[in-house]
Amino acid sequence: MQEKMADKNLTLLEEFILLGFSELPDVQGLLFVLFLVIYISILLGNGLIIVITNMEPALQIPMYYFLGNFSFVEICYTSVTLPRMLMNLWRQKRNISLLLCAVQLCFFLILGVTESLLLVVMAYDRYVAICKPLSYPLIMNYKMCVQMVIGSWLIGIPFLTGQTYQVFSVPFCGSKKLNHFFCDMPPLKKLACRDTSGDEFFIYIDCFLFGLIPFLLILLSYIRILSTILKLPSTTGRSKAFSTCSSHLIVVCLFYGSGFIAYLQSKSSYSGRTDKVFSLFYAVVIPMINPMIYSLRNKDFIEAIRKLFSKYVSKE
């Protein structure tokens, strides 16, 4: 009789309650303002990169073409989670339907994989530019650049759509409370009421395909880049090459480091508080600091901003 009632309760599950930061009731308003400022800065910072890389003739090269696309992905990536989180903080109404939760997770995973693959593409671009400079215009032609960007967007879609279906095909039981600020895979696994070890295997496969392999490819690219840079006779040349690559390398370490920690933990070792911290890092903090990392460390980009600002002021 109890089993029948449990099955009935499972079929009636239509929504989750995103706990978010409900354990901090006294600072909900402050958190709303903080994350609103962060979201606006993400939109403005990454939007500025898109505008500059498209308007400035000096930046019409593959490196900045990929950077503009990466910034667009960052805007989409954060827009999947932050507006909903802001609405929950403002209205104090944290419920989300099962369908919307699945849609949010699916888009979050697809955009995360797109970002991961674009980081590989950007590393490959730097590898060709530094290690094969004479062949660079031939290899990194416009058609190749467009194909790599489209591939980064499309490759993960069938895998991640299937992964999302697999996550939501598992019955959920017990509390409807999701100890997170958006529908992410680790807290959803925690609420599953059957053994998810088989599902975790497929999650590890996806992490291997779209996380570990891209990371190793980037690492291999930078080993070759470093070897080439150290052979350069000019100190100025070495300094410029290091400066060009260091920004990308910082983003790679931050993105993959926090993502691996969050997704490679088992269901039994899951900690809601720890996972929220790392999720905030790769879903909110990194997209916020990326524009600063790429622009403030890049003299060409700073010069392009100065030119655009000068044109705007002269028109006034």
Side-chain angles (χ1 to χ4, degrees):
M1 182 66 179
Q2 289 180 344
E3 290 181 0
K4 290 182 179 180
M5 288 297 292
D7 292 338
K8 185 178 179 181
N9 288 337
L10 287 175
T11 58
L12 291 175
L13 180 61
E14 296 180 351
E15 65 178 17
F16 290 111
I17 298 172
L18 293 169
L19 294 182
F21 304 97
S22 56
E23 72 273 16
L24 304 169
D26 298 331
V27 293
Q28 296 295 294
L30 180 62
L31 288 173
F32 174 82
V33 173
L34 174 63
F35 286 117
L36 179 61
V37 171
I38 289 174
Y39 186 49
I40 292 172
S41 69
I42 289 170
L43 296 179
L44 292 177
N46 286 286
L48 179 64
I49 288 177
I50 294 171
V51 171
I52 293 292
T53 53
N54 279 279
M55 290 184 63
E56 178 56 43
L59 301 185
Q60 302 296 309
I61 59 175
M63 174 183 172
Y64 295 105
Y65 173 72
F66 296 135
L67 180 56
N69 278 276
F70 185 76
S71 294
F72 178 70
V73 173
E74 292 279 53
I75 289 174
C76 298
Y77 186 60
T78 52
S79 295
V80 171
T81 57
L82 267 176
R84 182 84 196 192
M85 184 170 70
L86 289 169
M87 185 179 72
N88 291 344
L89 286 168
W90 180 257
R91 297 171 57 193
Q92 295 298 303
K93 187 180 179 182
R94 297 183 173 88
N95 58 310
I96 183 171
S97 69
L98 208 64
L99 177 61
L100 284 178
C101 189
V103 170
Q104 187 183 56
L105 176 64
C106 187
F107 276 99
F108 182 77
L109 293 177
I110 289 171
L111 289 165
V113 166
T114 302
E115 185 168 343
S116 175
L117 296 178
L118 276 176
L119 286 171
V120 178
V121 168
M122 293 166 78
Y124 178 70
D125 173 66
R126 291 298 84 208
Y127 161 73
V128 177
I130 293 173
C131 300
K132 300 181 179 181
L134 298 179
S135 304
Y136 183 78
L138 184 63
I139 296 173
M140 301 303 293
N141 58 70
Y142 179 74
K143 183 179 178 181
M144 176 61 72
C145 293
V146 172
Q147 287 175 342
M148 288 195 288
V149 169
I150 293 174
S152 299
W153 276 94
L154 297 181
I155 287 173
I157 290 177
F159 294 93
L160 280 310
T161 303
Q163 186 69 72
T164 304
Y165 174 79
Q166 188 177 44
V167 169
F168 282 88
S169 64
V170 174
F172 299 100
C173 57
S175 173
K176 296 190 298 182
K177 295 177 179 178
L178 205 63
N179 189 16
H180 216 285
F181 58 92
F182 70 97
C183 291
D184 202 4
M185 207 177 295
L188 284 166
K189 286 193 301 177
K190 190 68 175 178
L191 292 185
C193 60
R194 71 167 172 80
D195 180 29
T196 59
S197 55
D199 299 331
E200 288 182 1
F201 172 75
F202 288 104
I203 293 172
Y204 293 148
I205 291 294
D206 284 342
C207 286
F208 176 76
L209 289 175
F210 302 115
L212 186 59
I213 289 180
F215 178 74
L216 291 176
L217 288 173
I218 293 171
L219 190 63
L220 180 61
S221 296
Y222 275 100
I223 289 173
R224 296 290 299 274
I225 288 170
L226 182 63
S227 174
T228 303
I229 289 174
L230 292 176
K231 294 176 183 177
L232 292 175
S234 168
T235 305
T236 305
R238 287 198 297 268
S239 177
K240 185 176 181 180
F242 273 123
S243 177
T244 303
C245 297
S246 60
S247 300
H248 182 248
L249 203 53
I250 291 169
V251 174
V252 166
C253 293
L254 293 174
F255 178 77
Y256 285 104
S258 56
F260 284 145
I261 293 172
Y263 276 83
L264 293 181
Q265 57 183 321
S266 64
K267 178 181 173 180
S268 58
S269 63
Y270 172 77
S271 168
R273 182 173 295 181
T274 303
D275 186 61
K276 276 191 281 190
V277 170
F278 283 107
S279 296
L280 272 176
F281 207 72
Y282 63 73
V284 178
V285 176
I286 295 175
M288 179 184 67
I289 64 176
N290 277 351
M292 292 182 282
I293 292 174
Y294 280 114
S295 60
L296 296 179
R297 296 175 60 85
N298 189 307
K299 292 180 180 179
D300 293 336
F301 198 86
I302 293 173
E303 183 60 30
I305 294 175
R306 189 179 291 115
K307 284 182 182 179
L308 186 67
F309 183 73
S310 300
K311 288 180 183 178
Y312 178 78
V313 171
S314 63
K315 286 181 181 180
E316 292 294 322

